[in-house]
């Protein structure tokens, strides 16, 4: 009977040793990023989740909500893909275009209030949180003159995501 208990104890210990002890850490001691794979199902949900989060943040500041705008969504999507092709996050397109130029190309006739961009492996929620932690990007999200928003991304095969948010008003 003792040998059966010993075998069971060894089996439990063997299984426990196979369990991960936590996230893999990088040289800075922080967990290495995990790939956030945007499936078609998740991709359909992202704009609504971001809109809801943005409007919650705006409501907490007493600012009117924004609505998704198809032209700004298209401008954001085009810029996300262009940044990936350039392999650099910046506000100018590979053709020298500005956020206003890209919005106009998509048929937006209003005023562009601002643009936030990001190159990351983080989710849309983590990206929004990072933008809220900096005054200049937070101002784009909370600007009271914004009434419309476009939000889009491009995900590379490696998993890296290029996020773009454009706000404006008509």
């Amino acid at each position: 009977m003792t040998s059966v208990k010993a075998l069971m104890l060894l089996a439990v210990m063997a299984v426990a040793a196979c369990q991960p002890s936590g996230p893999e850490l990088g040289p800075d001691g922080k967990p290495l990023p995990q790939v956030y794979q945007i499936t078609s199902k998740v991709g359909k949900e992202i704009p609504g989740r971001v809109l809801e989060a943005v409007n919650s943040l705006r409501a907490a500041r007493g600012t009117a909500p924004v609505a998704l705008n198809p032209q700004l969504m298209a401008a954001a999507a085009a810029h996300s893909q262009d940044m990936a092709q350039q392999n650099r996050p910046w506000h100018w397109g590979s053709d020298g275009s500005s956020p206003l130029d890209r919005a106009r190309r998509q048929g937006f006739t209003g005023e562009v209030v601002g643009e936030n961009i990001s190159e990351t492996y983080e989710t849309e929620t983590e990206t929004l949180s990072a933008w809220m932690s900096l005054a200049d990007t937070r101002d784009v999200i909370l600007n009271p003159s914004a009434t419309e928003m476009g939000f889009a991304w491009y995900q590379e095969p490696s998993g890296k995501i290029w996020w773009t948010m454009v706000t404006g008003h008509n």
Side-chain angles (χ1 to χ4, degrees), residues 14-129:
V15 169
C18 294
Q19 299 299 318
S21 60
E24 188 177 347
L25 302 179
D28 60 358
K30 295 180 181 178
L32 291 173
Q34 299 296 309
V35 173
Y36 173 52
Q37 190 60 46
I38 301 176
T39 63
S40 60
K41 179 181 183 283
V42 170
K44 290 175 186 171
E45 298 167 354
I46 288 174
R49 287 197 304 242
V50 171
L51 180 65
E52 183 178 335
V54 165
N55 283 334
S56 292
L57 293 165
R58 290 173 66 87
R61 293 284 180 99
T63 306
V66 293
L68 291 176
N69 175 288
Q71 290 89 19
L72 293 179
M73 298 280 287
H79 191 53
S80 292
Q81 189 164 6
D82 188 47
M83 286 189 298
Q85 289 172 346
Q86 296 180 68
N87 196 32
R88 63 178 169 181
W90 71 328
H91 294 284
W92 302 103
S94 57
D95 60 357
S97 62
S98 70
L100 178 60
D101 296 331
R102 293 187 293 275
R104 292 271 183 267
R105 282 185 200 148
Q106 299 300 328
F108 184 70
T109 58
E111 179 183 339
V112 170
V113 173
E115 179 182 70
N116 288 337
I117 57 173
S118 180
E119 166 197 20
T120 184
Y121 288 89
E122 296 178 332
T123 68
E124 67 279 1
T125 305
E126 292 167 317
T127 301
L128 184 58
S129 178

Side-chain angles (χ1 to χ4, degrees), residues 53-65 128-129 131-145:
V54 165
N55 283 334
S56 292
L57 293 165
R58 290 173 66 87
R61 293 284 180 99
T63 306
L128 184 58
S129 178
W131 287 338
M132 287 298 292
S133 71
L134 300 170
D136 58 340
T137 50
R138 181 175 52 246
D139 290 347
V140 170
I141 296 164
L142 301 178
N143 190 314
S145 69

